[in-house]
Amino acid sequence: MKLYSLTSSGVAIISRHRQSSPRLRRSSAGRGSGAPDNHRTITMTLLNPLFGTEPVQRIFSDAVRLQRMLDFEAALARAEAKVGVIPSSAVESIESKCRADSFLLNAIAEATATAGNLAIPMVAQLTALVAAGDKNAARYIHWGATSQDAMDTGLILQLRDALDFLENDLVQLGNILAALAKQHRNTPVVARTWMQHAVPTLFGVQVAGWLDALLRHHARLAETKKRVLVLQFGGAAGTLAALGDRGLDVARALAEELNLALPDVPWHSHRDRIAEVATTLALCAGTLGKIARDVALQSQTEISELSEPAAEGRGGSSTMPHKRNPVSVAVALSAAIRVPALTSAMLSAMVQEHERGLGGWHAEWETLPEIVQLTAGSLHHMTEALKSLEVKPDRMLQNLESTQGLIFTEAAMMALAKHVGRHAAHQMVDAASRRVLAEGKHLRSVLTQDSAVTRHLSAAELDAVFDSAAYTGVALQLIDRVLATHQRLHRATERK
């Protein structure tokens, strides 16, 4: 995120550094690392509460990004001491200084512009901090590692926290949708194809479709975590040559310290794991956008089957007091628009050169956190909207009747087809439908007046044709199948 400086002549960009911790802002300014005294700096955070969530924003804050890299450095010292590569006496001195609140974030930001990555100035500051109290221990900081090891592993630690958070939110939203599907398993509603009335369905089926998709995302996320939550430790070019024949010993100990899986080979320029996070979340954001689109369309004034929950100040208009704009679905739809483009950048960044990439790696640094935050924001907002979604069964029934029975044309055709065949039945009902549109009559009335129809269908059979509850096929079974799958996942989640 860009940092701006307010001056008498306007607004000027002074760096891309974003301070996210008040404590760090105070300590940095006190040490002379902030902007000049005659400038007031601001950060672009006004929209963060709308498009993101505070927990995930905190996970990807500058302070936490730095702390996770320092966690790598502290764990590296412990692992190397454990296998006898560095003296055990150095560990405490190194570990005690691996605290982000001791570092000058502005200085790291400025030095990164020259160094090319965050790890180089971080290691320089860490070395200076340790050397101030233990010069011998400072010799062993970052021993045998490379900048990308610290940054990639730090990112994996951030992703572990963020993906756990998203997984919990997916479970919560799944539970909400399961309850909604149960509540409305018998609520008839218009099924729409190509934005037009099609046939009757049940709102419970619609919700079950949403839930079914979310269950797949839950499974994808679990699989992604298995592949992604792995250590990055390869040294300069992936061979750990600086550690001689002890490289794998250190790697095993380091993976154990950080509770990460140890991959068969370092993955500096093989970015499929990182891209998989982006694509998995892009799919999730897309489904949330689809749900949001459905809710938005059914919330239109002319349809009015659903509404986001009402609350003071929610969805208001600056000029039209009557408005209740669908705020949550707008956020989810915006994420569904933005995330695919960002994911395209992540996929493009996979094509990296030889053992360490140039530019592609750098393209990930801001892109992936934005994908995670946008998806988290979409998930949060849809959870808030759906947990108190206003469902209007009476309005749904009104809409079923709004086409004067035309929504039952397939039911009428299939009833007649048993007697005259499908093609002839289609022609008969098609002719009746044209009369409905031309004369403004109800389809049942038109069919009742047609002797070719009444020759085959009794009054009771025609009544059945126009019973929306009778023409939903296996809808109830479909709902129950999805709910059973959800219940199995719910039980498995509780056992963890």
Side-chain angles (χ1 to χ4, degrees):
M1 183 153 310
K2 295 178 182 178
L3 183 66
Y4 293 86
S5 173
L6 295 182
T7 67
S8 58
S9 59
V11 181
I13 301 174
I14 62 173
S15 80
R16 289 186 178 273
H17 171 60
R18 177 182 60 176
Q19 294 170 311
S20 52
S21 166
R23 177 172 58 181
L24 287 170
R25 282 202 296 271
R26 288 194 295 271
S27 63
S28 297
R31 300 183 191 193
S33 59
D37 290 341
N38 61 339
H39 288 66
R40 178 166 61 87
T41 58
I42 59 174
T43 52
M44 293 174 58
T45 59
L46 289 175
L47 295 175
N48 283 357
L50 178 63
F51 292 118
T53 64
E54 194 276 334
V56 173
Q57 287 165 3
R58 185 169 60 247
I59 288 169
F60 287 101
S61 67
D62 290 340
V64 173
R65 174 179 286 201
L66 177 61
Q67 185 58 60
R68 294 297 172 255
M69 292 165 62
L70 291 168
D71 291 343
F72 167 86
E73 298 294 344
L76 177 62
R78 294 193 300 269
E80 291 180 330
K82 186 183 294 184
V83 301
V85 169
I86 70 170
S88 298
S89 59
V91 173
E92 184 178 354
S93 296
I94 295 173
E95 198 173 28
S96 66
K97 300 302 181 183
C98 288
R99 293 173 51 86
D101 56 8
S102 299
F103 284 69
L104 307 177
L105 290 185
N106 281 357
I108 289 176
E110 295 301 328
T112 296
T114 302
N117 70 64
L118 293 167
I120 293 173
M122 178 204 72
V123 170
Q125 279 199 36
L126 177 60
T127 302
L129 288 169
V130 174
D134 188 341
K135 290 184 178 180
N136 186 59
R139 296 167 52 197
Y140 298 104
I141 292 169
H142 203 63
W143 191 264
T146 193
S147 298
Q148 191 165 351
D149 293 336
M151 289 188 64
D152 276 352
T153 300
L155 172 63
I156 294 300
L157 296 176
Q158 289 176 285
L159 286 173
R160 180 166 63 188
D161 292 340
L163 295 181
D164 283 347
F165 182 85
L166 286 167
E167 188 173 38
N168 289 336
D169 272 11
L170 274 174
V171 170
Q172 182 183 356
L173 181 53
N175 293 339
I176 289 168
L177 291 179
L180 194 62
K182 290 176 186 176
Q183 181 183 355
H184 291 284
R185 70 191 310 272
N186 293 302
T187 301
V189 69
V190 173
R192 297 174 172 92
T193 60
W194 287 36
M195 303 287 286
Q196 306 295 308
H197 283 209
V199 296
T201 186
L202 300 175
F203 185 56
V205 174
Q206 183 178 349
V207 176
W210 299 343
L211 174 58
D212 189 44
L214 284 185
L215 295 178
R216 292 193 294 276
H217 293 309
H218 190 278
R220 289 188 186 102
L221 191 58
E223 286 296 320
T224 295
K225 287 169 66 176
K226 292 177 185 177
R227 286 185 286 272
V228 168
L229 300 182
V230 299
L231 176 71
Q232 173 72 290
F233 185 55
T239 62
L240 292 169
L243 296 173
D245 62 357
R246 304 305 304 279
L248 280 178
D249 295 332
V250 174
R252 291 188 191 97
L254 179 55
E256 184 178 336
E257 286 288 337
L258 293 171
N259 193 28
L260 294 173
L262 179 64
D264 290 336
V265 65
W267 43 278
H268 288 139
S269 57
H270 294 278
R271 311 306 288 180
D272 56 289
R273 289 182 176 94
I274 300 301
E276 182 177 353
V277 175
T279 55
T280 298
L281 296 185
L283 289 170
C284 184
T287 287
L288 292 167
K290 184 271 187 290
I291 298 171
R293 183 75 75 195
D294 285 347
V295 174
L297 290 172
Q298 288 171 262
S299 299
Q300 293 178 99
T301 305
E302 295 81 357
I303 297 175
S304 192
E305 295 173 349
L306 304 173
S307 290
E308 285 193 9
E312 181 68 27
R314 181 183 177 91
S317 166
S318 62
T319 59
M320 296 170 284
H322 70 281
K323 291 293 293 292
R324 279 182 58 188
N325 293 318
V327 175
S328 292
V329 300
V331 171
L333 289 168
S334 73
I337 292 169
R338 295 169 65 185
V339 170
L342 293 166
T343 301
S344 175
M346 294 296 297
L347 294 172
S348 298
M350 289 180 65
V351 185
Q352 299 198 7
E353 302 79 14
H354 304 301
E355 281 65 51
R356 299 276 297 281
L358 176 67
W361 179 46
H362 301 68
E364 300 170 354
W365 297 348
E366 292 183 311
T367 306
L368 186 59
E370 188 171 1
I371 291 171
V372 179
Q373 291 185 65
L374 287 171
T375 306
S378 174
L379 183 54
H380 167 75
H381 275 279
M382 289 310 297
T383 299
E384 289 298 303
L386 293 170
K387 73 180 181 182
S388 300
L389 184 68
E390 293 183 18
V391 181
K392 306 171 185 177
D394 290 343
R395 182 64 178 181
M396 291 176 175
L397 283 173
Q398 290 176 26
N399 289 336
L400 280 164
E401 285 295 328
S402 64
T403 56
Q404 295 178 286
L406 290 179
I407 198 166
F408 299 102
T409 55
E410 187 188 61
M413 181 190 72
M414 294 308 294
L416 279 169
K418 296 174 185 178
H419 303 280
V420 300
R422 186 187 180 284
H423 180 68
H426 188 283
Q427 289 182 316
M428 294 168 66
V429 176
D430 182 57
S433 298
R434 288 196 296 271
R435 284 190 60 192
V436 169
L437 295 173
E439 300 173 15
K441 296 180 179 179
H442 196 280
L443 179 62
R444 192 188 188 290
S445 175
V446 172
L447 292 177
T448 301
Q449 296 169 10
D450 188 339
S451 60
V453 173
T454 56
R455 183 182 307 127
H456 302 290
L457 298 180
S458 67
E461 287 173 318
L462 278 173
D463 286 341
V465 163
F466 291 91
D467 180 0
S468 58
Y471 199 75
T472 57
V474 296
L476 293 175
Q477 296 176 52
L478 298 177
I479 296 169
D480 291 341
R481 283 162 63 87
V482 174
L483 291 177
T485 300
H486 170 263
Q487 188 59 34
R488 287 194 296 273
L489 176 62
H490 184 70
R491 286 195 296 265
T493 302
E494 285 185 330
R495 288 195 295 268
K496 289 183 179 180

